[in-house]
Amino acid sequence: MFNKKAKQMFSKDIGIDLGTATVLVWVEGKGVVLNEPSVVAVNTDTDMITKVGKDAQAMIGRNPENISVVRPLENGVISQYDVTQKMIQYFIRRACGGSVFPPRVVICIPTGITEVEERAVIDAGTQAGARKTYLIEEPVAAALGAGIDIFSPTGHMIVDVGGGTTDVAVISLGGIVVSKSVKSAGNRFDAAIMRYMRRKHNMIIGERTAEQVKMRIGAVYEHAVAKEYEVKGRCLLQGLPKVVTVSSKEMLEAMMEPITDVLDTIYAVIENTPPELIGDILKGGIVMTGGGSLLYGLDKLIEELTGIKTRVAEKPELCVIKGTGRALEYIDNMPEGIIDLSKVRPQRHSGMSRK
């Protein structure tokens, strides 16, 4: 029988942030080893996967007819099971290298998904080669990754803005007290920009162009000095190439619908939070994580409208995968399925704030 040290020489536990837009992989003892777009290119003639990750993303809008470029996850859940399973398998193999034993895998999931969707993630992980598959809810992972002591009796509010979903939760004593998830996040922001360009400028742009616009001048709070960005696309009326200079002020209008959904979700969680924890949140504030939290002014807007001080965590795009990786130390005596950290004894989490 191998002891724990010997076992680790042959197999490393793995954490996976299985996002709608991006997949990040954490390997025990190494940290983040992979950060790839959750995009897969499939040959429709043979049903074989030809490219995964960055290589597949580079084919978007440039693929021939017999190659379908897809995102197998939609709004944080699996929409194409077989493709997702093969994508996970590809990333596990890359992360494990020449490990002798299959790894145990922790995969993060949005809050509020159904038991059927949970089972699909577990099955996909197992079929992809995991020895055991565990799940952790994204707000819990995000809080762990942001260095918050989630095991204390203090209430903490997390707003995790990912690619497919925004998860809002109040966490205390290692568990989620109240939470709500909305399918309005990074991808919905891109779609809103595409609709705006079509409506206001009679111009069609692709997903990658919309994402660039969002990253360069995307805003939900007015800049002191407006920013501008030159957008290239196709004229809707003439079908010819078209170039338009767009300002960050226009983005305030473009982002109104998806941001309203996010704000409504935050209000709903606050309204359902027990009074005993509201005082904690007013004192500790709201912590934002996820790549979508980097949208200019989103933290300022939330603080202004809720009256609760709001801050963006350090390296917010990595908080969920860091927390997923840190959850690996708690899985030894837990069954497969969602990890229940509320059952972890306080003396085991003394190092939660370490990097």
Side-chain angles (χ1 to χ4, degrees):
M1 183 69 67
F2 292 109
N3 59 32
K4 186 174 182 180
K5 184 176 180 180
K7 180 189 76 69
Q8 289 177 344
M9 294 174 63
F10 290 89
S11 176
K12 297 286 188 180
D13 293 332
I14 291 177
I16 300 178
D17 178 4
L18 193 63
T20 302
T22 308
V23 175
L24 293 95
V25 180
W26 176 289
V27 173
E28 182 184 15
K30 294 182 179 180
V32 178
V33 297
L34 289 175
N35 184 345
E36 297 266 358
S38 47
V39 181
V40 178
V42 181
N43 187 317
T44 56
D45 294 334
T46 63
D47 285 332
M48 298 291 291
I49 289 178
T50 59
K51 299 289 183 182
V52 178
K54 293 176 183 176
D55 292 338
Q57 185 185 49
M59 299 174 69
I60 294 177
R62 299 179 173 89
N63 49 300
E65 290 185 2
N66 68 321
I67 299 294
S68 175
V69 182
V70 300
R71 294 184 182 274
L73 292 111
E74 185 175 343
N75 299 321
V77 297
I78 294 173
S79 60
Q80 298 184 46
Y81 179 84
D82 290 340
V83 177
T84 300
Q85 180 254 311
K86 291 176 182 176
M87 182 178 71
I88 295 173
Q89 184 179 59
Y90 171 82
F91 288 127
I92 288 178
R93 286 176 176 174
R94 278 190 58 188
C96 288
S99 295
V100 175
F101 297 126
R104 295 182 299 179
V105 176
V106 175
I107 301 175
C108 69
I109 56 170
T111 59
I113 68 172
T114 66
E115 290 185 10
V116 172
E117 290 167 337
E118 289 175 10
R119 189 71 247 174
V121 177
I122 293 173
D123 290 345
T126 303
Q127 292 297 320
R131 185 165 81 255
K132 287 186 177 180
T133 304
Y134 304 84
L135 307 179
I136 184 169
E137 292 175 294
E138 286 184 4
V140 175
L144 285 172
I148 294 172
D149 180 7
I150 68 169
F151 297 95
S152 73
T154 303
H156 303 279
M157 188 167 185
I158 293 288
V159 177
D160 180 56
V161 189
T165 61
T166 294
D167 290 283
V168 183
V170 174
I171 300 171
S172 180
L173 293 170
I176 292 178
V177 180
V178 58
S179 69
K180 188 174 177 64
S181 180
V182 63
K183 295 172 183 178
S184 186
N187 290 350
R188 192 67 64 87
F189 300 163
D190 296 342
I193 292 172
M194 293 169 69
R195 289 196 302 272
Y196 177 85
M197 295 301 296
R198 186 184 185 99
R199 184 176 70 250
K200 290 292 184 178
H201 296 284
N202 289 317
M203 182 178 179
I204 299 173
I205 62 173
E207 292 179 16
R208 297 184 69 182
T209 300
E211 185 177 21
Q212 285 298 313
V213 174
K214 177 183 68 179
M215 294 173 66
R216 296 295 183 89
I217 62 169
V220 294
Y221 204 92
E222 194 166 337
H223 286 273
V225 178
K227 292 186 174 183
E228 293 184 339
Y229 184 66
E230 192 176 80
V231 183
K232 300 175 183 178
R234 187 173 77 244
C235 179
L236 185 62
L237 302 177
Q238 300 175 327
L240 298 174
K242 184 175 182 178
V243 180
V244 173
T245 299
V246 181
S247 75
S248 56
K249 284 186 177 181
E250 291 184 79
M251 292 297 101
L252 303 180
E253 180 183 346
M255 294 289 185
M256 186 177 297
E257 181 183 340
I259 291 302
T260 298
D261 291 340
V262 172
L263 292 170
D264 287 345
T265 303
I266 293 172
Y267 295 150
V269 170
I270 293 174
E271 288 173 0
N272 288 285
T273 298
E276 292 82 359
L277 298 179
I278 288 292
D280 295 336
I281 295 170
L282 286 171
K283 182 178 179 180
I286 296 171
V287 178
M288 298 188 67
T289 61
S293 66
L294 295 171
L295 181 66
Y296 179 81
L298 184 52
D299 55 335
K300 296 178 184 178
L301 184 64
I302 292 172
E303 182 169 323
E304 185 175 287
L305 295 179
T306 63
I308 303 172
K309 63 181 180 180
T310 303
R311 68 178 177 88
V312 178
E314 183 180 354
K315 295 184 179 179
E317 69 280 9
L318 297 180
C319 286
V320 170
I321 188 59
K322 283 183 178 179
T324 304
R326 288 176 179 172
L328 294 172
E329 63 186 274
Y330 301 108
I331 63 177
D332 283 344
N333 299 311
M334 289 190 179
E336 286 188 282
I338 293 183
I339 297 172
D340 186 358
L341 293 180
S342 65
K343 297 180 180 178
V344 174
R345 291 179 297 174
Q347 59 263 34
R348 293 190 61 191
H349 69 274
S350 59
M352 288 314 302
S353 63
R354 72 181 187 277
K355 293 185 178 180

